[in-house]
Amino acid sequence: QRWTSNRERFSAGYFRRYVLGLSMKINIALFLISLLVAMNSAASPYDDALTAYNNGDYSKAFTLFNALAENGNSDAQFKLAIMHGNAQGVCKDDKKLMYWLKRAADNGQPKAEYHLGFFYRYGFGLPKDIEQSKKWFSRSANHGNNDSALALANIYLEEKETTENNNLAIKWLEVAAKNNHTDSMHNLGVIYLKGDIVEQNLNESEKLLLNSAKNGNVDSQNLLGYLYGSGSNFSKNYKQSFYWYKQAAMQGSRDAQYFIGILYDKGIGVKTNYIEAYAWLKCAEKNWKVEDFSKKYIDESFTISHVKNEEITFKERIQNLEEKLSKTELNQAIKLADSYYDKYPYMTFIPAK
């Protein structure tokens, strides 16, 4: 029988102990993980209430939120305010809406603070009071609410123009922009573009607008489409102009849908395609009519003067395209327009919740 050396025996023993120790550590880790999963799987009362609310079971949600709110849960207090205001699981009651909103705001709930600032600003259910509005927007912004930071900046921009007000507006826009709040990035980008209250900085403007547009801000996408197409402030780039107009068009911007039609028609930034041009123009036309704009406005007043200094009415442009298309192509374009209208309806703005 071959005897191993002391070194070999030590190594073998160490290896066995190492494996046993590692196995125990793995078992302990797996136990802790399963314990954490079990703890997390047990939903909190607030989660139960929120699930019921999201599922449309407002009666159950109201009962659960009410119990939590009475015990001082600020998130539940805010939800109760919303439910009283929207008649969800309870009769509409503006007094109780305001009662729970104030309680939630007093307890530092950022969304409640935002809404209170909003109500004071516009006099909804409360006397219009800009100072109170600024107070609650400021509290909410300091609690991390980016919509409040934007609202506060807008108030300072609308007040008498002073260096202090301008600086405060820039401060709050920068706070929200650093958190990728797209409206704040857009507004700050426009401020640097204009150079009215700060020194014009086109590089900073372009960076902010691009970041905002990449994060889905339609206003930034439309503005970049215009700026790259006109070359008035940024270097002219028709491909980028087409790209950003199309991003906005696919989000339901009827202006962008109109301009995409023009770019396809003229082959600006994209290969000429009369079928696509017609489809996007008809999609834009239908989306304008959603708002019941008069036929005269659509047919005679909607001109585009910043594309090659050309002025042509909506109706004339569509008629010109119809003449360029064969009957088969026109039928294809009509079907494509219908599909675009279904996929990209006119974008409506939803207030912050």
Side-chain angles (χ1 to χ4, degrees):
Q1 183 178 6
R2 179 178 177 276
W3 292 92
T4 57
S5 67
N6 287 336
R7 181 185 180 92
E8 287 173 322
R9 287 198 299 273
F10 174 79
S11 297
Y14 175 80
F15 179 73
R16 284 194 297 272
R17 290 194 299 274
Y18 171 78
V19 171
L20 287 172
L22 182 61
S23 177
M24 290 181 65
K25 288 179 180 178
I26 291 173
N27 288 334
I28 291 171
L30 290 173
F31 171 75
L32 290 174
I33 291 171
S34 64
L35 184 62
L36 287 172
V37 169
M39 289 172 64
N40 288 333
S41 64
S44 70
Y46 181 83
D47 290 333
D48 288 338
L50 193 60
T51 298
Y53 180 85
N54 290 335
N55 289 336
D57 189 350
Y58 296 132
S59 179
K60 179 180 178 180
F62 182 84
T63 300
L64 294 172
F65 280 137
N66 191 68
L68 291 166
E70 293 289 0
N71 286 323
N73 185 303
S74 62
D75 291 332
Q77 290 167 348
F78 174 66
K79 279 295 185 183
L80 270 190
I82 297 299
M83 294 185 79
H84 278 295
N86 292 335
Q88 295 170 319
V90 66
C91 293
K92 183 176 174 64
D93 191 327
D94 290 338
K95 288 184 179 180
K96 288 185 178 179
L97 154 67
M98 204 58 64
Y99 170 78
W100 286 113
L101 191 65
K102 286 182 177 179
R103 281 193 62 176
D106 286 335
N107 287 328
Q109 214 286 344
K111 291 182 180 179
E113 292 167 334
Y114 167 80
H115 280 74
L116 206 51
F118 184 87
F119 289 163
Y120 271 119
R121 182 178 184 187
Y122 296 104
F124 294 160
L126 290 169
K128 190 173 182 179
D129 189 327
I130 293 299
E131 291 307 313
Q132 280 293 315
S133 178
K134 286 196 288 189
K135 168 191 167 182
W136 288 107
F137 279 145
S138 181
R139 284 185 57 170
S140 178
N142 281 313
H143 287 146
N145 188 287
N146 295 316
D147 289 328
S148 289
L150 174 62
L152 200 53
N154 287 339
I155 288 177
Y156 286 121
L157 288 172
E158 290 169 10
E159 289 184 336
K160 182 178 180 181
E161 186 172 332
T162 64
T163 300
E164 181 182 7
N165 281 345
N166 290 343
N167 289 341
L168 285 168
I170 297 297
K171 168 195 167 183
W172 287 113
L173 286 175
E174 288 179 340
V175 165
K178 286 177 182 176
N179 293 326
N180 283 333
H181 189 253
T182 63
D183 287 339
S184 296
M185 288 189 284
H186 174 81
N187 288 6
L188 199 55
V190 171
I191 285 173
Y192 279 115
L193 179 69
K194 291 182 176 180
D196 292 338
I197 64 174
V198 296
E199 184 177 352
Q200 187 182 52
N201 187 330
L202 296 181
N203 288 333
E204 185 66 17
S205 174
E206 186 174 20
K207 182 176 78 172
L208 286 162
L209 291 174
L210 280 170
N211 199 5
S212 174
K214 288 174 182 177
N215 281 282
N217 188 285
V218 174
D219 291 332
S220 292
Q221 291 168 348
N222 268 318
L223 182 55
L224 286 172
Y226 170 75
L227 292 171
Y228 284 129
S230 65
S232 56
N233 294 95
F234 299 169
S235 298
K236 187 173 288 188
N237 187 326
Y238 289 136
K239 287 185 177 180
Q240 282 292 298
S241 177
F242 173 83
Y243 174 81
W244 287 116
Y245 270 138
K246 191 165 186 180
Q247 296 306 303
M250 291 189 297
Q251 289 203 69
S253 168
R254 51 198 181 189
D255 287 348
Q257 291 168 352
Y258 181 78
F259 290 126
I260 282 292
I262 295 171
L263 298 179
Y264 269 120
D265 183 14
K266 295 298 181 182
I268 300 174
V270 67
K271 186 177 179 180
T272 299
N273 188 319
Y274 297 138
I275 292 175
E276 287 282 354
Y278 182 92
W280 281 110
L281 285 171
K282 290 297 288 185
C283 177
E285 180 187 42
K286 288 183 178 181
N287 277 326
W288 276 105
K289 287 180 178 177
V290 165
E291 289 290 288
D292 292 325
F293 281 92
S294 68
K295 192 171 187 298
K296 180 180 178 182
Y297 182 84
I298 295 173
D299 292 347
E300 299 177 16
S301 301
F302 198 151
T303 61
I304 48 99
S305 59
H306 74 272
V307 178
K308 292 190 173 181
N309 296 317
E310 179 184 18
E311 293 210 7
I312 183 170
T313 65
F314 209 134
K315 182 178 180 180
E316 289 170 341
R317 185 172 294 283
I318 290 175
Q319 287 176 338
N320 289 345
L321 282 167
E322 287 174 347
E323 293 172 1
K324 296 175 183 178
L325 295 169
S326 68
K327 186 175 181 179
T328 301
E329 290 172 332
L330 182 58
N331 287 334
Q332 183 182 346
I334 290 171
K335 289 181 181 179
L336 188 59
D338 290 339
S339 71
Y340 284 165
Y341 180 65
D342 290 337
K343 288 172 66 177
Y344 312 123
Y346 170 53
M347 177 187 61
T348 55
F349 295 94
I350 302 173
K353 296 181 180 178

Short mmCIF file of all heavy atoms in Angstrom, two decimals, residues 2 13 23 32 43 81 119 139 145 159 173 182 184 196 246 256 264 281 298 300 326 335 353:
data_model
loop_
_atom_site.label_atom_id
_atom_site.label_comp_id
_atom_site.label_asym_id
_atom_site.label_seq_id
_atom_site.Cartn_x
_atom_site.Cartn_y
_atom_site.Cartn_z
N ARG A 2 0.51 2.18 -0.82
CA ARG A 2 1.32 3.41 -0.95
C ARG A 2 0.88 4.39 0.09
O ARG A 2 -0.29 4.71 0.21
CB ARG A 2 1.14 3.99 -2.36
CG ARG A 2 1.92 5.28 -2.58
CD ARG A 2 1.73 5.78 -4.00
NE ARG A 2 2.41 7.03 -4.22
CZ ARG A 2 1.92 8.23 -3.92
NH1 ARG A 2 0.72 8.32 -3.37
NH2 ARG A 2 2.62 9.32 -4.15
N GLY A 13 -6.78 16.31 3.53
CA GLY A 13 -7.66 16.66 4.65
C GLY A 13 -8.19 18.07 4.52
O GLY A 13 -9.38 18.32 4.79
N SER A 23 -19.96 23.57 1.42
CA SER A 23 -21.32 23.04 1.33
C SER A 23 -22.22 23.65 2.38
O SER A 23 -23.37 24.01 2.11
CB SER A 23 -21.29 21.52 1.49
OG SER A 23 -22.60 20.99 1.46
N LEU A 32 -31.05 31.52 3.64
CA LEU A 32 -31.30 32.96 3.80
C LEU A 32 -32.05 33.53 2.60
O LEU A 32 -32.95 34.36 2.75
CB LEU A 32 -29.97 33.70 3.99
CG LEU A 32 -29.25 33.44 5.33
CD1 LEU A 32 -27.87 34.11 5.33
CD2 LEU A 32 -30.09 33.94 6.50
N ALA A 43 -47.16 40.07 1.00
CA ALA A 43 -47.44 41.46 0.64
C ALA A 43 -47.86 42.26 1.86
O ALA A 43 -48.54 41.75 2.76
CB ALA A 43 -48.54 41.49 -0.42
N ALA A 81 -57.27 60.57 -0.95
CA ALA A 81 -57.60 61.87 -1.54
C ALA A 81 -57.98 61.69 -3.01
O ALA A 81 -58.99 62.24 -3.47
CB ALA A 81 -56.43 62.83 -1.40
N PHE A 119 -52.95 73.07 -6.75
CA PHE A 119 -54.26 73.64 -6.41
C PHE A 119 -54.14 75.09 -5.99
O PHE A 119 -54.97 75.92 -6.35
CB PHE A 119 -54.92 72.82 -5.31
CG PHE A 119 -55.39 71.45 -5.75
CD1 PHE A 119 -55.70 70.47 -4.83
CD2 PHE A 119 -55.53 71.14 -7.10
CE1 PHE A 119 -56.13 69.22 -5.23
CE2 PHE A 119 -55.96 69.90 -7.52
CZ PHE A 119 -56.26 68.93 -6.58
N ARG A 139 -41.31 72.14 -1.11
CA ARG A 139 -41.22 70.99 -0.22
C ARG A 139 -41.21 69.69 -1.03
O ARG A 139 -40.42 68.77 -0.76
CB ARG A 139 -42.40 70.98 0.76
CG ARG A 139 -42.26 71.98 1.89
CD ARG A 139 -43.38 71.86 2.91
NE ARG A 139 -43.47 70.53 3.49
CZ ARG A 139 -44.23 70.23 4.53
NH1 ARG A 139 -44.96 71.17 5.12
NH2 ARG A 139 -44.27 68.99 4.99
N ASN A 145 -39.46 65.21 -5.96
CA ASN A 145 -40.47 65.21 -7.01
C ASN A 145 -40.05 66.15 -8.13
O ASN A 145 -40.00 67.37 -7.96
CB ASN A 145 -41.83 65.63 -6.44
CG ASN A 145 -42.95 65.45 -7.44
OD1 ASN A 145 -43.06 66.21 -8.40
ND2 ASN A 145 -43.79 64.45 -7.23
N GLU A 159 -42.68 85.06 -13.13
CA GLU A 159 -42.67 86.24 -12.27
C GLU A 159 -41.78 87.32 -12.88
O GLU A 159 -41.13 87.12 -13.90
CB GLU A 159 -42.20 85.87 -10.86
CG GLU A 159 -43.21 85.03 -10.10
CD GLU A 159 -42.77 84.75 -8.67
OE1 GLU A 159 -41.57 84.78 -8.38
OE2 GLU A 159 -43.65 84.49 -7.84
N LEU A 173 -34.59 73.68 -12.61
CA LEU A 173 -34.57 72.93 -13.87
C LEU A 173 -33.37 71.99 -13.90
O LEU A 173 -33.48 70.85 -14.36
CB LEU A 173 -34.52 73.89 -15.06
CG LEU A 173 -35.81 74.63 -15.40
CD1 LEU A 173 -35.58 75.62 -16.53
CD2 LEU A 173 -36.93 73.65 -15.79
N THR A 182 -37.62 64.73 -18.48
CA THR A 182 -37.47 65.17 -19.87
C THR A 182 -38.01 66.58 -20.11
O THR A 182 -37.43 67.34 -20.91
CB THR A 182 -38.16 64.19 -20.83
OG1 THR A 182 -39.57 64.15 -20.56
CG2 THR A 182 -37.58 62.79 -20.68
N SER A 184 -38.00 69.06 -18.07
CA SER A 184 -37.02 70.00 -17.53
C SER A 184 -35.80 70.08 -18.44
O SER A 184 -35.26 71.17 -18.67
CB SER A 184 -36.60 69.57 -16.11
OG SER A 184 -37.71 69.63 -15.24
N ASP A 196 -31.59 84.06 -23.58
CA ASP A 196 -32.23 85.26 -23.03
C ASP A 196 -31.81 85.53 -21.59
O ASP A 196 -31.42 86.64 -21.24
CB ASP A 196 -33.76 85.14 -23.10
CG ASP A 196 -34.27 85.16 -24.53
OD1 ASP A 196 -33.54 85.68 -25.40
OD2 ASP A 196 -35.37 84.65 -24.78
N LYS A 246 -39.72 61.70 -37.29
CA LYS A 246 -40.41 60.42 -37.34
C LYS A 246 -40.64 59.86 -35.94
O LYS A 246 -41.68 59.25 -35.66
CB LYS A 246 -39.63 59.40 -38.19
CG LYS A 246 -40.46 58.15 -38.46
CD LYS A 246 -39.88 57.30 -39.58
CE LYS A 246 -40.83 56.14 -39.91
NZ LYS A 246 -40.30 55.30 -40.99
N ALA A 256 -45.50 66.59 -36.55
CA ALA A 256 -44.42 65.76 -37.06
C ALA A 256 -44.91 64.86 -38.18
O ALA A 256 -44.19 64.64 -39.17
CB ALA A 256 -43.83 64.92 -35.92
N TYR A 264 -40.81 62.91 -47.06
CA TYR A 264 -40.93 61.79 -48.00
C TYR A 264 -41.26 62.29 -49.40
O TYR A 264 -40.77 61.77 -50.41
CB TYR A 264 -42.01 60.82 -47.54
CG TYR A 264 -41.53 59.70 -46.64
CD1 TYR A 264 -42.04 59.54 -45.35
CD2 TYR A 264 -40.58 58.78 -47.09
CE1 TYR A 264 -41.61 58.50 -44.54
CE2 TYR A 264 -40.14 57.75 -46.29
CZ TYR A 264 -40.65 57.61 -45.01
OH TYR A 264 -40.21 56.58 -44.21
N LEU A 281 -49.33 62.19 -44.56
CA LEU A 281 -50.13 63.41 -44.67
C LEU A 281 -51.60 63.14 -44.35
O LEU A 281 -52.26 63.93 -43.66
CB LEU A 281 -49.99 64.02 -46.06
CG LEU A 281 -48.65 64.74 -46.33
CD1 LEU A 281 -48.54 65.09 -47.81
CD2 LEU A 281 -48.52 65.99 -45.47
N ILE A 298 -57.46 73.52 -42.10
CA ILE A 298 -56.64 72.42 -42.60
C ILE A 298 -56.25 72.66 -44.06
O ILE A 298 -55.11 72.50 -44.46
CB ILE A 298 -57.39 71.09 -42.48
CG1 ILE A 298 -57.62 70.75 -41.00
CG2 ILE A 298 -56.64 69.95 -43.16
CD1 ILE A 298 -58.48 69.54 -40.78
N GLU A 300 -56.41 75.53 -45.97
CA GLU A 300 -55.87 76.80 -46.46
C GLU A 300 -54.82 77.44 -45.56
O GLU A 300 -53.97 78.17 -46.04
CB GLU A 300 -57.03 77.79 -46.67
CG GLU A 300 -58.04 77.31 -47.70
CD GLU A 300 -59.22 78.28 -47.85
OE1 GLU A 300 -59.08 79.42 -47.37
OE2 GLU A 300 -60.24 77.87 -48.41
N SER A 326 -50.28 55.99 -59.05
CA SER A 326 -51.20 55.20 -59.87
C SER A 326 -52.38 54.78 -58.99
O SER A 326 -52.35 54.95 -57.77
CB SER A 326 -50.49 53.96 -60.42
OG SER A 326 -50.19 53.07 -59.34
N LYS A 335 -54.58 52.55 -47.57
CA LYS A 335 -54.55 51.51 -46.55
C LYS A 335 -53.44 51.78 -45.53
O LYS A 335 -53.62 51.59 -44.32
CB LYS A 335 -54.33 50.14 -47.20
CG LYS A 335 -55.53 49.63 -47.96
CD LYS A 335 -55.25 48.26 -48.57
CE LYS A 335 -56.46 47.75 -49.36
NZ LYS A 335 -56.18 46.43 -49.98
N LYS A 353 -49.73 62.40 -12.04
CA LYS A 353 -50.59 61.75 -11.07
C LYS A 353 -49.91 61.72 -9.72
O LYS A 353 -48.71 61.66 -9.64
CB LYS A 353 -50.93 60.34 -11.53
CG LYS A 353 -51.73 60.30 -12.83
CD LYS A 353 -52.04 58.88 -13.21
CE LYS A 353 -52.83 58.82 -14.51
NZ LYS A 353 -53.11 57.44 -14.92
#
